Amino acid sequence: MLRCRVCGGAVRECLDFGRQPVSSAFVDPAHTGAELFFRLAVGFCTSCTMVQQLEEVPRDEMFRFDYPYRSSGSTVMRKHFQQTARQLLDTELTGPDPFAVEIGSNDGILLQDIAEAGVRHLGVDPSGEAAEVARAKGIRVRVEFFEESTARAIRAEHGPADVIFSANTISHIAYIDSIFRGVDALLAPNGVFVFEDRYLGDIIEHTYFDQIYDEHFYLFSIHSVQAMAAQFGFALVGAERLPVHGGAVRYTVARAGARRPAPEVAELLARERELGLGLPETYERFAANIRRTREDLLALLRRLRAEGHRIVGYGATQKSATVANYCGIGPDLVSAVYDSTREKQGRLTPGVHIPVLPPEEFGAPYPAYALLFAWNHAEEIMAKERQFRESGGRWILYVPDVHIV
Ligand SMILES: [Zn+2]
């Protein structure tokens, strides 16, 4: 029997996407033989409800020194983190000499504003290349994985943290017990551990199945985060719905008994009971919706290709690794993917090997159809590529179902 990585309870398998590559491992066309594959399967814990992957990809395979993702690539995300930094500065970083730590600081998109406000801070991130970008903005970074020993070393050097923040990182970390022991060691008595992650409720409600890939080891809900916090001597005291990434939640965790929970926590827990997030049939329905999306998308792409249309992809996202590999979408259906991340250009997408090209080449000439893999940035991308539609091109979307716009 499989055991829950959070509480040790029994885990029931509910989704199987088969053999998948490491989603950030874009392939050098000259060296296509050495890819790592794993089985992407998901289960839920019958005791704490945590949804989690059944097979773990070694962290060094995913979060390498040259990890290609850059948080600051999107202006929407830049604005989101500016607001987040402002909120933390106004509510939590108000003492005489506050100290903020960020787990997974990437290129400094959040800490930038905290550094500019003159507040003591430290980013922790294993990607040395992203850290260099952050340092150029005047941000202090330790190039390391955050775990209990890292937290103890930071505490010894800098003292306790008033805020430990993290965005789209905590759900990536299978060894969650070490994270919470680290937070326990580093956090001030009345400090807060604030983290944002994609929300299971939205993923199930809108069939955002491509949010499931190697890095998203856990899919958090209010219920499962509350149980996880309690497991390690903390309490969930805040939960705020966020519109980013197709739906996320900002969780605020404090030491048990230190703070009174905000009323939103109980409201969101009640909503989850209505959604049936703890029930096996909810996951059976989710699995059926995913299979239907795969059938519909493949049928559409094959028909358009048979009619002689050229189809490309837009956004070589890590999400697209799950879609392309699970559905079997290779260069025969989608001839290229356009992406603004310099580190991905000239490479092939993981597993299915679709060439990645810079977006400047998207219109030379425009294809008939573009499959929007970066659907979470749809508004921003469609505005930027207005000319594509004006010249007769059409976007293909596959969430919440397959449709053309
Ligand atoms: Zn559990």
Side-chain angles (χ1 to χ4, degrees):
M1 189 173 49
L2 289 154
R3 290 281 172 198
C4 173
R5 291 295 301 262
V6 179
C7 79
V11 171
R12 186 196 298 227
E13 180 171 336
C14 55
L15 300 170
D16 184 359
F17 294 94
R19 187 173 170 268
Q20 292 280 335
V22 175
S23 66
S24 63
F26 286 79
V27 179
D28 179 346
H31 302 94
T32 56
E35 278 184 279
L36 179 78
F37 288 86
F38 72 106
R39 183 171 87 100
L40 180 62
V42 172
F44 69 95
C45 174
T46 52
S47 66
C48 77
T49 76
M50 182 64 81
V51 174
Q52 56 201 281
Q53 291 189 25
L54 306 183
E55 206 172 289
E56 184 183 345
V57 177
R59 65 184 190 181
D60 301 302
E61 295 285 350
M62 295 189 283
F63 308 111
R64 301 170 310 277
F65 188 85
D66 63 349
Y67 183 64
Y69 180 75
R70 294 290 175 271
S71 304
S72 296
S74 157
T75 50
V76 172
M77 292 312 293
R78 175 79 194 102
K79 210 169 144 196
H80 168 75
F81 285 114
Q82 271 171 342
Q83 287 165 351
T84 309
R86 179 43 49 205
Q87 205 172 323
L88 292 174
L89 286 166
D90 289 347
T91 59
E92 300 294 342
L93 297 167
T94 53
D97 182 23
F99 178 44
V101 172
E102 184 178 8
I103 304 173
S105 48
N106 198 276
D107 59 11
I109 189 168
L110 173 99
L111 284 180
Q112 190 169 337
D113 289 351
I114 289 175
E116 276 168 19
V119 168
R120 278 197 305 133
H121 63 275
L122 184 65
V124 185
D125 199 299
S127 165
E129 288 184 6
E132 281 313 308
V133 179
R135 282 175 182 147
K137 299 175 188 168
I139 296 162
R140 298 189 60 168
V141 189
R142 269 175 97 108
V143 178
E144 214 175 330
F145 283 100
F146 185 93
E147 54 197 350
E148 189 183 358
S149 56
T150 327
R152 290 192 182 284
I154 295 170
R155 167 84 190 224
E157 193 178 331
H158 300 274
D162 301 283
V163 171
I164 300 175
F165 179 81
S166 190
N168 309 310
T169 302
I170 299 305
S171 68
H172 296 31
I173 304 172
Y175 50 94
I176 199 79
D177 52 326
S178 173
I179 297 298
F180 272 91
R181 284 198 306 271
V183 169
D184 189 26
L186 178 57
L187 198 65
N190 195 35
V192 282
F193 176 29
V194 180
F195 56 96
E196 302 179 9
D197 265 291
R198 286 158 180 81
Y199 180 49
L200 176 68
D202 291 310
I203 291 171
I204 289 186
E205 204 174 352
H206 307 292
T207 320
Y208 293 151
F209 69 100
D210 56 349
Q211 295 286 16
I212 302 167
Y213 54 87
D214 53 354
E215 293 179 9
H216 295 167
F217 188 83
Y218 297 107
L219 300 175
F220 289 156
S221 67
I222 314 292
H223 270 99
S224 62
V225 168
Q226 188 182 50
M228 175 169 73
Q231 174 87 14
F232 299 105
F234 290 85
L236 179 65
V237 296
E240 188 185 341
R241 300 280 277 113
L242 305 171
V244 296
H245 294 303
V249 171
R250 182 181 297 142
Y251 302 94
T252 301
V253 165
R255 293 183 190 280
R259 294 193 186 200
R260 191 194 299 267
E264 292 75 28
V265 175
E267 286 164 22
L268 288 167
L269 285 170
R271 170 104 180 88
E272 285 189 352
R273 277 188 288 272
E274 283 167 30
L275 275 174
L277 287 192
L279 305 173
E281 52 265 37
T282 303
Y283 297 91
E284 282 160 25
R285 202 167 51 239
F286 183 39
N289 289 341
I290 294 169
R291 284 192 296 272
R292 198 193 54 227
T293 295
R294 172 167 68 173
E295 284 161 22
D296 292 351
L297 183 57
L298 273 179
L300 175 66
L301 297 177
R302 283 177 183 150
R303 177 172 66 79
L304 295 174
R305 289 291 295 134
E307 289 168 5
H309 298 295
R310 186 162 68 94
I311 310 166
V312 305
Y314 202 103
T317 58
Q318 291 177 254
K319 294 191 290 293
S320 72
T322 296
V323 179
N325 287 280
Y326 169 67
C327 299
I329 300 169
D332 53 326
L333 292 174
V334 170
S335 57
V337 186
Y338 297 87
D339 194 287
S340 58
T341 312
R342 195 180 35 78
E343 290 81 357
K344 296 178 185 174
Q345 294 163 4
R347 295 193 163 238
L348 307 172
T349 62
V352 293
H353 296 178
I354 303 171
V356 183
L357 301 173
E360 295 74 42
E361 294 175 27
F362 178 52
Y366 283 122
Y369 292 91
L371 180 56
L372 187 56
F373 287 124
W375 53 261
N376 51 321
H377 300 301
E379 229 172 280
E380 198 172 349
I381 290 169
M382 287 182 188
K384 183 183 155 213
E385 300 290 0
R386 211 173 36 243
Q387 254 195 307
F388 166 59
R389 283 222 53 204
E390 285 169 0
S391 67
R394 291 290 175 266
W395 295 103
I396 301 171
L397 283 115
Y398 52 82
V399 291
D401 50 22
V402 177
H403 59 285
I404 294 174
V405 293

